[in-house]
């Protein structure tokens, strides 16, 4: 709308560029809609800003801290598929390990009562696995502290000195909760606890989500001890 010819030309070029951009955008939408209408739909789900509990925060931290694996994903998948159970451990340990391996990715814990939607279901998961394997649970119900007490008095398990370095497949590894520090219990899958099977607080299912390094580093920093109990 200005009087200067140069300014008018500049304005016209801007309008033409804007119209060209709109035409290009509409052409892209038309092409995408022709190929697949779903490509033109943008569904963005924003996370809820509701208050997050300390348990959920800890679950996220635990999930990210313990992703280190001693084996690659392909190697571990092959290990699971092989079905090889070591023969140099007790029959009870063989049965527990076999049941634990079969529970990886299949034992869902989100519906177990009184576990905060599966976030605190590690003891329940181990009790279920051991019960399925041997006919009797470890004991202690849903509490790692109570399970530790049960292990101490359970004649079918013996404490292994030396920590994770002496762990064998089928052993129970436990860091009982103490005070405000939440512990964990799982089942050793390989020698030296290189692989540990336990409940995932964030995914609410039994997974191979720990190694001896990640377990010792994470729960050791929380001031919790690590015990190994071996099935007789």
């Amino acid at each position: 709308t200005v009087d200067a010819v140069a300014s008018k030309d500049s304005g016209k070029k801007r309008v033409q560029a804007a119209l060209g951009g709109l035409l290009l955008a509409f052409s892209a939408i038309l092409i995408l809609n022709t190929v697949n209408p779903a490509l033109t739909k943008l569904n963005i789900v924003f996370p809820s800003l509701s208050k997050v509990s300390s348990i959920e925060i800890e679950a996220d931290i635990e999930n990210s801290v313990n992703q280190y694996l001693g084996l690659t994903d392909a190697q571990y998948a092959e290990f699971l598929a092989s079905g090889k159970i070591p023969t140099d451990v007790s029959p009870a340990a063989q049965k527990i390990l076999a049941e634990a391996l079969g529970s990886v990715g299949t034992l869902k814990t989100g519906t177990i009562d009184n576990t905060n939607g599966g976030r605190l279901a590690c003891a329940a998961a181990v009790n279920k696995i051991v019960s399925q394997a041997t006919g009797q649970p470890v004991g202690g119900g849903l509490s790692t502290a109570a399970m530790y007490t049960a292990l101490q008095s359970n004649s079918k398990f013996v404490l292994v000195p030396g920590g994770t370095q002496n762990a064998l497949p089928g052993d129970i590894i436990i860091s009982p909760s103490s005070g405000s520090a939440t512990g964990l219990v799982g089942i050793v899958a390989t020698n030296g606890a290189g692989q540990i099977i336990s409940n995932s607080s964030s995914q609410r299912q039994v997974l191979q989500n720990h190694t001896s390094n990640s377990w010792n580093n994470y729960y050791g920093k929380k001031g919790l001890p690590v015990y190994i109990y071996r099935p007789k």
Side-chain angles (χ1 to χ4, degrees), residues 52-144:
V52 180
S53 69
S54 59
I55 294 175
E56 290 174 310
I57 294 173
E58 180 173 308
D60 290 336
I61 294 173
E62 176 184 336
N63 188 52
S64 61
V65 168
N66 296 315
Q67 286 307 304
Y68 168 78
L69 299 177
L71 301 175
T72 65
D73 290 343
Q75 288 174 326
Y76 187 65
E78 182 179 356
F79 172 69
L80 287 178
S82 69
K84 295 179 180 178
I85 305 298
T87 58
D88 57 347
V89 297
S90 70
Q94 293 177 23
K95 292 177 181 178
I96 291 172
L97 176 59
E99 187 67 32
L101 291 173
S103 299
V104 172
T106 63
L107 178 52
K108 312 297 182 181
T109 58
T111 58
I112 299 178
D113 292 337
N114 302 314
T115 63
N116 197 4
R119 296 180 182 88
L120 301 175
C122 61
V126 168
N127 265 329
K128 183 175 180 63
I129 290 170
V130 173
S131 180
Q132 294 274 25
T134 66
Q136 291 184 334
V138 176
L142 303 176
S143 165
T144 54

Side-chain angles (χ1 to χ4, degrees), residues 4-208:
V5 175
S7 296
K8 285 185 178 182
D9 289 339
S10 176
K12 287 179 181 180
K13 289 180 180 179
R14 291 190 180 189
V15 172
Q16 289 170 352
L19 291 174
L22 286 173
L23 180 60
L24 181 62
F26 283 126
S27 298
I29 293 174
L30 180 60
I31 293 172
L32 291 174
N33 190 67
T34 302
V35 175
N36 185 351
L39 296 175
T40 62
K41 296 178 181 179
L42 184 62
N43 296 320
I44 301 176
V45 179
F46 292 96
S48 171
L49 296 180
S50 59
K51 185 176 181 181
V52 180
S53 69
S54 59
I55 294 175
E56 290 174 310
I57 294 173
E58 180 173 308
D60 290 336
I61 294 173
E62 176 184 336
N63 188 52
S64 61
V65 168
N66 296 315
Q67 286 307 304
Y68 168 78
L69 299 177
L71 301 175
T72 65
D73 290 343
Q75 288 174 326
Y76 187 65
E78 182 179 356
F79 172 69
L80 287 178
S82 69
K84 295 179 180 178
I85 305 298
T87 58
D88 57 347
V89 297
S90 70
Q94 293 177 23
K95 292 177 181 178
I96 291 172
L97 176 59
E99 187 67 32
L101 291 173
S103 299
V104 172
T106 63
L107 178 52
K108 312 297 182 181
T109 58
T111 58
I112 299 178
D113 292 337
N114 302 314
T115 63
N116 197 4
R119 296 180 182 88
L120 301 175
C122 61
V126 168
N127 265 329
K128 183 175 180 63
I129 290 170
V130 173
S131 180
Q132 294 274 25
T134 66
Q136 291 184 334
V138 176
L142 303 176
S143 165
T144 54
M147 179 173 280
Y148 171 59
T149 300
L151 281 166
Q152 290 177 297
S153 59
N154 192 326
S155 61
K156 295 185 178 181
F157 291 88
V158 60
L159 177 65
V160 177
T164 55
Q165 64 180 353
N166 293 327
L168 294 177
D171 287 351
I172 304 295
I173 180 171
I174 184 169
S175 291
S177 298
S178 179
S180 60
T182 302
L184 188 68
V185 61
I187 295 171
V188 176
T190 59
N191 290 344
Q195 304 290 325
I196 301 170
I197 296 169
S198 65
N199 178 61
S200 169
S201 297
S202 59
Q203 298 188 46
R204 284 78 154 172
Q205 61 179 318
V206 171
L207 296 174
Q208 192 297 116

